[in-house]
Amino acid sequence: MRRDPLQKNSLNFAWCTKSSLLHITGIACLLLAGLTLCGCSGGDSAESSGSSNTSTIQQSIPDYATHLVTLQPLADEVRAIGTVQAYQEVEISPEISGKVKAMHVCVGDQVKQGDLLVEIDDEARQIALRQKKALLKKAEATRKKSLKDAQKGGSLFKQGVISDSESDDIELGKQIADADLDLARADVMKAEKELRDTKIVAPFDGTVALEDIEIGKMVTPGQNLLTLVDISQVKIVVTVSELDITKLSVGSHVEIIIDSLPGKPFTGKVATVGLKADDATRTYPVEIIVTNEGEILLPGMISRVTIATKEPKEVIMIPKTAVASKKGQMVTYVMNQGKVEQRRVFLGKERDEQVIVEKGLMAGDMLIVSDVVAPPQ
């Protein structure tokens, strides 16, 4: 069947129009889909650039462990450097002059209070003591006679046998006899003390640290013979600024590190806290007492002390295994509404296996402590 040419042209036009409409419709759908994708992509970019310290990681986590971030009390600390000193230290010197007769200790010997250390020749002191005792007996006899004279003089004076002047002389003689007796007794006490001083004894339990004496050598009062120290416990004196002195109190716990004894930490207690600052340095002295088991702490050693303050502060502490390094920054990962967030953190001091977070986390955050979460490459 033949169609009319006009009809044929109409059909061709209709078919072309339909094909054009389908083509335009397809292009429009593609444009719409592209705009939708662009809008979604722009939203993710804005979210990722909204904060430099937080970002969301779009990845699945097959297994992880979480740790609730909480505030924990932590004692504040004051750090200082000091020098170890003997708990007690004294230079032993004689109180009298004389020749050294004997020595009973050497450097390094441990002594008890009252132990004999040095003897000074005592022959002259024994002679002097005998003389003083003889004079004491004479004074006692004189006083005894003066008492009898006073009694007799009083009776004669009442009877009118002696005059007032004679009675006064008798009474004056009695007073002089009393004074002479007191002087004689004092001389005996002094001679006894000098005899005792020929034997020098230890004033406390300790160890002989220094010795500067020889048998037969003449010594004088104040001359150093021995140095005795007590290092069964030692003291460390440090200076603290006025900003830190108010944080300390007697009895505060102290951790001590000795540079010359690595790997051997010591502990002590604050014994005294200074109440007046040094005029030149404006710092306050603090004395720390340390038990010295085995006497391995020696005077002169440099010590680094960490003193716990009176009032603890609340801090955020997390396991060190929960912290990673990314592009030179320390980061952690927290679970937030089912998604993993990367948080930049600023860390403080380490405490055993934990570290203080000064900035970047808050109490209530759910920290991921498993090492399966790692920043995407």
Side-chain angles (χ1 to χ4, degrees), residues 54 63 66 70 75 93 116 123 153-154 163 166 186 194 226 240 247 272 286 314 330 337 349 355:
T54 303
D63 187 19
T66 58
T70 58
S93 59
L116 182 60
E123 183 178 1
S163 62
E166 292 174 329
E194 289 184 353
L226 302 168
V240 176
K247 302 178 183 178
T272 60
V286 176
E314 291 189 332
M330 305 308 294
Q337 297 180 353
K349 301 175 183 177
V355 62

Side-chain angles (χ1 to χ4, degrees), residues 3-238:
R3 291 182 180 177
D4 184 66
L6 182 60
Q7 184 179 6
K8 183 178 179 180
N9 292 333
S10 298
L11 291 172
N12 290 335
F13 175 76
W15 182 86
C16 291
T17 304
K18 183 177 181 181
S19 298
S20 300
L21 290 173
L22 290 173
H23 182 66
I24 293 171
T25 302
I27 293 173
C29 291
L30 290 174
L31 289 173
L32 180 60
L35 290 172
T36 303
L37 290 174
C38 290
C40 294
S41 176
D44 291 342
S45 176
E47 181 180 353
S48 63
S49 62
S51 174
S52 61
N53 295 332
T54 303
S55 61
T56 302
I57 301 174
Q58 299 294 341
Q59 64 177 32
S60 61
I61 306 175
D63 187 19
Y64 62 90
T66 58
H67 170 79
L68 180 63
V69 177
T70 58
L71 291 173
Q72 303 179 38
L74 177 68
D76 197 4
E77 298 174 345
V78 174
R79 297 176 182 268
I81 297 177
T83 304
V84 176
Q85 301 178 14
Y87 182 69
Q88 294 185 87
E89 179 175 346
V90 63
E91 293 182 347
I92 305 296
S93 59
E95 296 187 29
I96 59 173
S97 299
K99 184 183 297 184
V100 176
K101 178 181 178 181
M103 292 178 54
H104 297 275
V105 292
C106 298
V107 174
D109 288 350
Q110 293 186 343
V111 298
K112 297 292 185 180
Q113 182 179 5
D115 285 353
L116 182 60
L117 304 178
V118 180
E119 284 187 83
I120 297 175
D121 184 73
D122 61 354
E123 183 178 1
R125 266 73 188 184
Q126 289 182 354
I127 295 172
L129 178 59
R130 293 187 64 180
Q131 290 177 339
K132 301 300 182 183
K133 286 183 175 180
L135 292 175
L136 174 61
K137 290 181 178 180
K138 180 179 179 181
E140 288 175 343
T142 302
R143 181 175 181 276
K144 186 176 182 180
K145 179 177 183 303
S146 67
L147 286 175
K148 291 182 178 180
D149 290 343
Q151 292 176 353
K152 185 183 296 184
S155 176
L156 294 175
F157 178 74
K158 289 180 180 179
Q159 296 175 7
V161 176
I162 60 176
S163 62
D164 292 344
S165 177
E166 292 174 329
S167 176
D168 292 340
D169 289 340
I170 294 173
E171 182 63 26
L172 180 59
K174 175 180 174 295
Q175 294 178 2
I176 292 174
D178 289 340
D180 288 341
L181 179 61
D182 289 340
L183 287 173
R185 287 172 176 170
D187 286 341
V188 170
M189 293 176 63
K190 181 180 178 181
E192 289 175 340
K193 182 182 182 304
E194 289 184 353
L195 183 61
R196 288 195 304 269
D197 289 342
T198 60
K199 293 178 174 56
I200 302 174
V201 298
F204 53 79
D205 297 353
T207 304
V208 179
L210 293 174
E211 175 187 329
D212 184 18
I213 188 175
E214 296 177 357
I215 295 177
K217 183 179 180 179
M218 290 295 299
V219 295
T220 56
Q223 180 180 343
N224 184 28
L225 306 180
L226 302 168
T227 299
L228 185 66
V229 297
D230 176 11
I231 56 174
S232 59
Q233 55 183 359
V234 296
K235 59 184 178 181
I236 301 173
V237 179
V238 298

Side-chain angles (χ1 to χ4, degrees), residues 47-48 54-61 326 331-336 338-343 368 373-377:
E47 181 180 353
S48 63
T54 303
S55 61
T56 302
I57 301 174
Q58 299 294 341
Q59 64 177 32
S60 61
I61 306 175
K326 181 180 178 183
V331 298
T332 59
Y333 300 93
V334 298
M335 182 63 67
N336 186 9
K339 296 182 180 180
V340 178
E341 285 186 0
Q342 176 182 290
R343 298 273 185 90
I368 297 176
V373 177
Q377 303 297 326

